[in-house]
Amino acid sequence: MGTLAWLRCRVNRRKLAPRLGAFVLVLAVSVSGLALSAGDPRAQASAILTALEKKPDAQRLAEASLAKAKDALRRADQQRAAGDQKRGAMLEQTALEWASASELLDKTAQTEKQLAELQTRTTELETKVFRVQALVEQTVARRARAEEAVRKLDEKAVKP
Amino acid sequence: MRRGLAALLLTIAGCATPARLQVMTEVDRTREGQAVVDARKTAPQAYARAELLRQRAEQAFDDKDLASAQILSERALAAYLRATIEARLTRAENRLAEARVLEKQQAERLAQLELEQQRLAAEAADLELRAKVARDAEPLAKNEPASPEREKARREAARAIVTQGSLLCVAARLVEPNRGPLAPLLAKADELRKKLDTSAAAPIDDATALRSDCLRELTLARRPRAQARPAQGEADALLSELSRADFLPFRDDRGVVVTLHAPREAGKLSRAASEKLAELGLVAKAHAEFPVLVVSHDARVGAKDDGLAGQAVEALKAAGASRIEAQSAGSTTPVVPPNRPGATARNDRLEVIFVSPGG
């Protein structure tokens, strides 16, 4: 404790206390909000569906699983309306499962597209490498011919 | 008796196992599919999760909670699908990583090869030029006096050779302005020109020797830069740039040459030539390492310097070019013999030479 004496005298605890309190409150609200949305399968499924609705490619690609997610959410509403909260929650989890599968499918398709583009570029590079390699071989031969010509001319120049 | 039988039937019906749900059969079928079998190895966690959901569905079914079994089976079905997609994604990501490594390797290999090619091409060009200089320096058989017709042809050839030689010397001077042997060589060129205007025998051997000496001087002037930067390929790059701009350039001993036809209009620089020169001036400005030599050629036999090359130099300077020199070749180096049809259009020209500073 003795070693922190220099710090104690520089910190104004009275001023710091309200600021710290506000910060803790904001943090608590944010964390609880996150925790709520993270733990709420309905909210998560709806968020994924909303995000995928903005992507026409994803809509087309994951049409079946997206339809199943929406159907599960609709049935969950019905169950909850009928008072069956347990099965309502189960159906919401099922909806999240289908929505997550759709999201993953979209991500996979994008990765596969990137892969195809990269493979095309690599093939083009391979072709260029092959061509330049051939050119280098031709130039090596050209240089050898020129070297030989210079050598012969030098020899000729030395001879009387 | 009847009552007893009815009670027994009700008891049996109550204990009977319900029919297996359709979705559960679908889960079983999906689970046996090749994609899920593959996912078991590639995405084990996702697969285990799907298995757990299936087991919970089976448990609910055994507990005769058919509604829960239905929902859990649907969820298991989605989880199996997710496992197969995860496996597909893992495979794609692995291949993507491999492809990135391969692309990087190929790009590095290409860059290495291109550098090697430039270096080799520069070395080969240098050796070829050395061979050319050595060949030109070989002693020639002395030309003996010939018939008047032959002598006339020899005189024309000597004029052309002197022009070529002096242009090579001027190019060397542009590369290395203070090169010692150039001044005597250029003086010799003037002397030969004067001699060619007299009735004395055409100095063809001296003209050839001059050209050979000037070529050697140009090669020597370039050597320090060529040796310092063997893989530079500057002239190739400039040639490509001018080709892309439709200037139809070509290379000769002096450097990269652009020919402008029909350069004269009422004794002055034509408008079309001025426009082209403005564009070439920008190129010269962008490639300041290349000094520029402008040579005017006149189709009129015996024509002397009419100042066209000087006007062209002004046009190039106006566009931002520096290190320029003007020379007039008159009618000494026609492209085609002057008596051929269409010779005027081809022989009347302006050459803009971007003198290669390093071979």
Side-chain angles (χ1 to χ4, degrees):
Chain A
M1 281 302 283
T3 54
L4 291 175
W6 63 272
L7 179 66
R8 211 164 41 226
C9 65
R10 283 167 174 80
V11 176
N12 190 337
R13 286 182 185 176
R14 275 183 211 163
K15 277 186 183 175
L16 202 64
R19 289 181 193 171
L20 192 67
F23 173 72
V24 169
L25 186 67
V26 169
L27 191 70
V29 169
S30 310
V31 169
S32 60
L34 272 173
L36 276 174
S37 66
D40 180 4
R42 163 173 282 280
Q44 285 179 51
S46 299
I48 294 171
L49 291 176
T50 309
L52 292 179
E53 264 168 22
K54 290 171 189 164
K55 296 178 173 180
D57 285 349
Q59 286 280 312
R60 196 173 50 249
L61 198 73
E63 190 184 2
S65 47
L66 283 171
K68 283 178 178 166
K70 284 175 190 164
D71 181 57
L73 279 179
R74 184 186 52 77
R75 283 158 58 204
D77 286 342
Q78 285 174 352
Q79 292 290 341
R80 283 195 188 274
D84 190 345
Q85 300 300 328
K86 184 191 158 194
R87 295 212 172 83
M90 284 170 75
L91 277 162
E92 282 164 356
Q93 283 172 337
T94 305
L96 178 59
E97 200 73 49
W98 284 116
S100 300
S102 308
E103 191 182 34
L104 200 63
L105 190 61
D106 177 45
K107 189 184 170 190
T108 305
Q110 282 175 27
T111 307
E112 285 171 343
K113 193 181 167 193
Q114 267 181 32
L115 175 66
E117 285 167 1
L118 190 62
Q119 281 171 335
T120 308
R121 280 205 306 274
T122 309
T123 308
E124 283 168 7
L125 269 175
E126 279 172 346
T127 311
K128 276 186 189 168
V129 165
F130 184 73
R131 281 188 195 144
V132 178
Q133 178 77 55
L135 197 63
V136 164
E137 282 163 17
Q138 283 173 17
T139 313
V140 166
R142 184 182 141 205
R143 191 185 64 170
R145 283 195 300 274
E147 223 163 20
E148 181 63 12
V150 169
R151 193 186 60 77
K152 280 184 180 168
L153 284 161
D154 285 349
E155 273 178 12
K156 217 170 158 183
V158 168
K159 283 176 191 169
Chain B
M1 182 68 183
R2 282 184 183 171
R3 281 181 188 172
L5 191 65
L8 184 68
L9 281 171
L10 277 171
T11 309
I12 292 167
C15 293
T17 311
R20 197 164 171 77
L21 296 169
Q22 198 184 342
V23 67
M24 291 178 82
T25 314
E26 200 181 335
V27 168
D28 292 339
R29 207 169 46 239
T30 303
R31 190 169 169 261
E32 299 300 318
Q34 190 57 47
V36 175
V37 172
D38 289 345
R40 190 177 179 174
K41 289 177 194 164
T42 321
Q45 282 186 341
Y47 176 82
R49 217 171 131 268
E51 281 285 283
L52 193 68
L53 287 166
R54 185 187 65 84
Q55 283 162 15
R56 280 175 61 194
E58 290 288 345
Q59 187 60 54
F61 182 73
D62 290 345
D63 295 345
K64 298 190 176 52
D65 181 358
L66 297 186
S68 295
Q70 168 76 29
I71 297 168
L72 284 165
S73 295
E74 284 177 31
R75 199 174 157 196
L77 207 58
Y80 279 121
L81 174 71
R82 202 172 145 176
T84 62
I85 300 168
E86 233 174 81
R88 200 172 127 191
L89 179 63
T90 306
R91 278 195 299 274
E93 280 175 344
N94 289 343
R95 287 175 64 198
L96 192 65
E98 284 168 17
R100 279 191 181 126
V101 171
L102 188 66
E103 189 203 25
K104 195 180 167 214
Q105 283 172 350
Q106 293 293 346
E108 282 171 1
R109 176 90 183 115
L110 183 64
Q112 194 186 3
L113 279 169
E114 280 175 343
L115 210 64
E116 198 181 340
Q117 164 61 18
Q118 280 185 353
R119 182 183 60 79
L120 285 166
E123 282 175 17
D126 185 46
L127 285 164
E128 282 164 355
L129 198 59
R130 272 174 65 189
K132 196 174 177 186
V133 170
R135 260 187 228 109
D136 276 3
E138 281 185 326
L140 300 169
K142 198 158 175 63
N143 287 295
E144 298 299 330
S147 63
E149 291 80 22
R150 186 90 185 266
E151 188 60 29
K152 191 184 169 198
R154 203 178 268 177
R155 187 176 296 277
E156 293 308 311
R159 274 205 178 94
I161 293 168
V162 168
T163 301
Q164 289 164 4
S166 65
L167 289 177
L168 285 168
C169 270
V170 172
R173 190 170 64 194
L174 280 164
V175 174
E176 191 187 336
N178 300 321
R179 192 162 183 80
L182 292 173
L185 285 171
L186 287 165
K188 191 181 170 189
D190 288 339
E191 189 190 311
L192 288 172
R193 275 192 204 100
K194 280 177 192 158
K195 199 172 177 184
L196 281 162
D197 286 339
T198 66
S199 56
I204 187 90
D205 297 332
D206 291 342
T208 309
L210 172 81
R211 187 176 62 180
S212 174
D213 290 345
C214 284
L215 182 60
R216 188 188 61 241
E217 289 307 318
L218 178 58
T219 309
L220 292 173
R222 280 171 177 160
R223 188 154 290 168
R225 190 180 172 99
Q227 283 173 346
R229 306 175 187 191
Q232 204 65 13
E234 297 159 317
D236 291 336
L238 179 62
L239 187 75
S240 306
E241 192 181 326
L242 290 167
S243 299
R244 279 197 299 274
D246 290 334
F247 278 112
L248 305 175
F250 63 92
R251 283 185 78 164
D252 68 12
D253 291 332
R254 299 165 297 177
V256 181
V257 186
V258 173
T259 307
L260 303 181
H261 291 282
R264 290 176 177 82
E265 207 170 65
K268 284 188 177 176
L269 200 61
S270 70
R271 193 174 164 184
S274 297
E275 283 168 7
K276 290 272 182 192
L277 284 166
E279 288 175 43
L280 288 168
L282 293 174
V283 175
K285 190 182 174 186
H287 295 270
E289 67 275 22
F290 286 82
V292 181
L293 173 59
V294 180
V295 184
S296 66
H297 296 266
D298 206 317
R300 294 165 296 174
V301 178
K304 300 288 178 190
D305 186 5
D306 62 352
L308 192 79
Q311 291 173 37
V313 163
E314 291 310 313
L316 285 166
K317 277 184 180 167
S322 57
R323 289 173 70 200
I324 317 178
E325 198 160 323
Q327 288 287 315
S328 171
S331 61
T332 55
T333 47
V335 179
V336 291
N339 52 358
R340 281 210 194 150
T344 305
R346 292 190 63 188
N347 292 338
D348 216 13
R349 67 199 191 279
L350 198 63
E351 281 181 339
V352 179
I353 304 144
F354 293 86
V355 179
S356 295

